[in-house]
Amino acid sequence: MFTRIFRNTAASTAMATVAAALALAPAAATTTTAPRACVDGHCFTTLAAAVGRAESGDVVTLGRGTFTGGVTIAKSIRLIGAGQGSTVIKGGHPVLTITSTDRLAPSVSITGLTVTGGVNTGTDGMGNASGYNATGGGILVPFAPGDKAGAALTLRHVTVTANKTLPSSTYPSPSGAKCPGGDCPYAGSNGGGIWTAGPLTLDHVTVSHNLSGGRASDAA
């Protein structure tokens, strides 16, 4: 009887010692892998860095995860994500701006991702920060220099959602409308999701829940 009690006590003590050791052991660190954007064998943790590395004709592959927006593209490249529910480009003023030069209006293709969370507070269709004209909260393709057509944009299997154009200031009414204190205030807000001055091709694209709002314009 004594022997059985001794053995059971020893086993209980051993188990208690193991439990105490486990309780004192540091918890395993939780690591979060940053999304990767790869081009020509080089991978980056930001979309801006990958676009900066890319040359005209390159493909930028975006992995699963959320990339910071506010990126300007001025070359003919393709962005390919892992799917609308897997790859997200978020934030910026707007999220993506695709610009042209007097010599080049690029052709840009975007596939398999979501563009969201952009707020344009005053960049206009010429790409100028006027404050009172806000165009393109999610994607902006301004005119090329000389009021020429801007870049060609193709979107395939892309969602553009929850972006906004909200002008941050006003300008005396260009229409000459008068208010009691003088010229009525003017502000322009266009293309909460997409605004483009160039050719646009949409293939299986969802553009939803975007907003063009802001200050009152030409009040009566």
Side-chain angles (χ1 to χ4, degrees):
M1 186 66 141
F2 175 80
T3 302
R4 288 180 181 174
I5 292 174
F6 178 79
R7 287 177 179 172
N8 289 343
T9 302
S12 298
T13 302
M15 291 176 64
T17 302
V18 172
L22 289 174
L24 293 173
T30 301
T31 58
T32 301
T33 302
R36 289 161 63 85
C38 301
V39 56
D40 194 26
H42 300 271
C43 292
F44 305 87
T45 57
T46 67
L47 173 59
V51 169
R53 170 76 188 193
E55 298 181 359
S56 290
D58 280 345
V59 175
V60 178
T61 303
L62 306 180
R64 295 175 179 269
T66 300
F67 294 85
T68 301
V71 176
T72 297
I73 301 172
K75 60 193 77 172
S76 296
I77 60 174
R78 290 187 289 161
L79 303 183
I80 301 180
Q84 291 154 284
S86 298
T87 301
V88 177
I89 307 175
K90 183 177 182 180
H93 312 287
V95 181
L96 296 174
T97 302
I98 304 170
T99 61
S100 303
T101 68
D102 54 356
R103 294 185 177 183
L104 172 68
S107 178
V108 174
S109 173
I110 302 173
T111 303
L113 53 80
T114 292
V115 174
T116 189
V119 182
N120 186 337
T121 57
T123 301
D124 61 23
M126 296 301 298
N128 301 318
S130 67
Y132 55 86
N133 274 321
T135 55
I139 301 175
L140 168 61
V141 183
F143 285 99
D147 291 339
K148 297 177 182 178
L153 174 63
T154 298
L155 304 179
R156 293 188 175 92
H157 299 279
V158 169
T159 296
V160 181
T161 186
N163 302 284
K164 301 176 182 179
T165 52
L166 299 172
S168 58
S169 64
T170 60
Y171 187 79
S173 173
S175 67
K178 298 298 180 181
C179 287
D183 289 336
C184 290
Y186 163 83
S189 185
N190 303 281
I194 304 170
W195 192 94
T196 178
L200 176 64
T201 301
L202 303 178
D203 179 8
H204 291 83
V205 172
T206 299
V207 181
S208 68
H209 300 93
N210 300 287
L211 171 68
S212 286
R215 298 170 179 267
S217 174
D218 286 353

